[in-house]
């Protein structure tokens, strides 16, 4: 509660001016691939807020890539003070390898340390020429799909899990039929890029594929940026809640003496200022007032949770994402 009260205090101090000298404090935020613009805007708000609250200037640097790659980079020496990832397993990786993050990190902040959420959704070309409306349409003859490689991208892992959850629901729990369905989805992917931003480039700039699957927030922003008359957002009947967990990298902040700034930065993500920034960028936020204000831009759908369908992230990691697990098996068996 103390940290949240601090976030509110920061939100009230936004009128302060920008620092005019070299920063007293620095932070590195390692984040997911498609969050560059979101955190650039958040950082612009945090700098004057931190100055107003503490009297110290701060510079927040960003690093973006697929979150599995980011986690490995931190393990190999990237000095990130905080992580703002899109998958719990990639933070748990840093708990279990090298003890970079302490166990119990999800209890440090509200909503399991996830300040907003989204879900896999579809972006199609003008007029939706392949009439793609739901996951089952991805495996029709002639449909080409674009999303990143689930081995390197947290974004794509959610796509894989959302497709699998849809299969289990459609085939009433028949695992064999679900496996075949997901392997067919893989078989229709035109290009597996390493991250979400690469997949966007493939779909929008290279003109490859009939449907791009990425977070709902990204589909709306791509349409807004590249042409509202050229692309359409399609919300499937069902999708999987994608949380965006955040954590302090304990070993790094203790080495650098940056813990106070790192915790202040993550607390700030829950303040109304940032919740509104996130909502404007089509993220579904946890602040009730801001969520209600932007409710009209989010279609209703059946939204399932990892815990309810798969039994939690530890079980998913063991059964789906471990070496030789279900993901590897279906990737190898992909067929049209």
């Amino acid at each position: 509660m103390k940290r949240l009260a601090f976030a509110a205090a920061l939100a009230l101090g936004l009128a302060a001016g920008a620092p005019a000298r070299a920063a007293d404090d620095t932070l590195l935020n390692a984040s997911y691939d498609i969050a560059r613009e979101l955190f650039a805007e958040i950082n612009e708000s945090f700098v004057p807020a931190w100055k107003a609250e503490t009297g110290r200037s701060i510079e927040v640097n960003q690093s973006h890539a697929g979150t599995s790659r980011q986690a490995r980079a931190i393990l190999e020496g990237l000095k990130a003070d905080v992580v703002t990832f899109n998958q719990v397993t990639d933070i748990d990786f840093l708990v279990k390898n090298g003890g970079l993050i302490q166990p119990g990190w999800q209890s440090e902040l509200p909503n399991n340390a996830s300040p907003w959420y989204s879900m896999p959704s579809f972006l199609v070309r003008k007029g939706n020429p392949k009439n793609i409306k739901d996951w089952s349409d991805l495996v029709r003859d002639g449909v080409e799909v674009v999303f990143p490689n689930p081995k390197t991208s947290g974004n794509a892992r959610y796509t894989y899990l959302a497709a699998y959850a849809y299969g289990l629901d459609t085939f009433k729990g028949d695992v064999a039929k679900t496996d075949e369905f997901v392997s067919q989805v893989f078989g229709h992917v035109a290009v597996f890029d390493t991250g979400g931003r690469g997949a966007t480039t493939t779909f929008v700039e290279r003109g490859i594929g009939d449907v791009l699957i990425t977070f709902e927030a990204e589909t709306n922003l791509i349409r807004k940026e590249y042409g509202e008359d050229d692309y359409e957002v399609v919300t499937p009947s069902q999708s999987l809640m994608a949380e965006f967990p955040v954590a302090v990298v304990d070993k790094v902040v203790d080495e650098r003496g940056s813990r106070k700034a790192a915790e202040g930065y993550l607390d700030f993500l829950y303040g109304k200022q940032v919740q509104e920034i996130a909502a404007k960028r089509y993220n579904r936020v946890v602040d009730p007032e801001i969520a209600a204000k932007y409710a009209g831009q989010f279609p209703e759908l059946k939204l399932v949770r990892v815990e309810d369908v798969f039994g939690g992230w530890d079980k998913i990691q063991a059964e789906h994402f471990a070496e030789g697990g279900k993901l590897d098996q279906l990737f190898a068996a992909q067929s049209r």
Side-chain angles (χ1 to χ4, degrees):
M1 292 301 294
K2 183 178 179 181
R3 288 174 60 182
L4 289 178
F6 172 66
L10 287 177
L12 294 173
L14 298 179
R21 57 180 172 79
D24 298 316
D25 300 312
T26 61
L27 289 176
L28 175 60
N29 172 18
S31 191
Y32 51 101
D33 198 32
I34 58 175
R36 290 176 178 82
E37 292 79 10
L38 171 62
F39 280 100
E41 187 172 353
I42 289 171
N43 294 345
E44 287 181 4
S45 296
F46 179 67
V47 169
W50 184 251
K51 179 71 172 179
E53 173 65 23
T54 67
R56 296 174 64 84
S57 59
I58 190 166
E59 179 180 354
V60 184
N61 298 300
Q62 302 175 216
S63 171
H64 294 275
T67 55
S68 297
R69 292 183 65 189
Q70 291 286 58
R72 284 193 292 273
I74 292 169
L75 182 63
E76 293 168 358
L78 178 66
K79 298 297 184 184
D81 301 280
V82 297
V83 291
T84 54
F85 281 177
N86 58 20
Q87 197 155 107
V88 168
T89 53
D90 290 324
I91 297 182
D92 283 342
F93 175 82
L94 296 173
V95 175
K96 297 171 182 173
N97 294 275
L100 286 149
I101 294 175
Q102 292 300 306
W105 59 270
Q106 282 185 291
S107 64
E108 293 293 319
L109 290 163
N111 199 44
N112 288 327
S114 179
W116 49 80
Y117 65 97
S118 190
M119 73 286 299
S121 190
F122 302 163
L123 185 72
V124 300
R125 302 190 188 282
K126 179 181 179 180
N128 194 3
K130 296 293 178 70
N131 195 29
I132 296 166
K133 296 181 179 178
D134 215 338
W135 296 95
S136 56
D137 296 317
L138 305 181
V139 299
R140 283 196 280 105
D141 288 345
V143 172
E144 285 198 326
V145 182
V146 174
F147 61 83
N149 189 332
K151 298 292 288 184
T152 58
S153 166
N155 183 336
R157 288 188 177 194
Y158 276 114
T159 295
Y160 161 73
L161 292 172
Y164 204 94
Y166 175 86
L168 288 173
D169 189 66
T170 300
F171 301 116
K172 303 189 184 309
D174 190 315
V175 172
K177 289 182 178 178
T178 299
D179 287 354
E180 174 60 21
F181 170 70
V182 175
S183 72
Q184 287 181 355
V185 172
F186 282 150
H188 281 256
V189 175
V191 178
F192 283 112
D193 292 286
T194 58
R197 190 50 54 93
T200 298
T201 299
T202 294
F203 184 73
V204 174
E205 297 185 10
R206 297 173 64 193
I208 293 174
D210 302 299
V211 53
L212 171 69
I213 307 177
T214 185
F215 295 127
E216 177 188 55
E218 181 76 350
T219 60
N220 282 286
L221 291 173
I222 294 169
R223 181 170 179 261
K224 195 171 181 179
E225 179 177 351
Y226 288 94
E228 295 185 355
D229 294 333
D230 295 328
Y231 301 97
E232 297 177 16
V233 173
V234 174
T235 301
S237 65
Q238 172 180 315
S239 196
L240 185 79
M241 178 181 284
E243 296 178 313
F244 295 86
V246 301
V248 169
V249 184
D250 295 290
K251 267 198 171 180
V252 172
V253 299
D254 289 341
E255 288 173 4
R256 297 190 63 244
S258 55
R259 178 174 289 279
K260 182 179 179 182
E263 291 181 348
Y265 183 74
L266 296 190
D267 289 344
F268 189 62
L269 302 182
Y270 289 84
K272 290 191 183 299
Q273 175 82 12
V274 173
Q275 291 284 295
E276 181 131 17
I277 290 172
K280 283 182 178 177
R281 290 183 169 274
Y282 299 97
N283 293 283
R284 302 193 186 212
V285 299
V286 298
D287 182 281
E289 182 180 332
I290 305 300
K293 180 178 178 180
Y294 288 89
Q297 67 184 21
F298 298 116
E300 294 185 1
L301 76 164
K302 181 180 179 181
L303 192 60
V304 298
R305 300 178 67 99
V306 159
E307 292 77 8
D308 297 331
V309 178
F310 299 99
W313 284 107
D314 286 343
K315 193 173 181 183
I316 286 176
Q317 184 62 35
E319 295 181 359
H320 288 264
F321 297 152
E323 197 71 26
K326 180 80 77 177
L327 174 61
D328 282 347
Q329 296 168 28
L330 299 183
F331 221 66
Q334 59 184 276
S335 60
R336 287 178 183 259

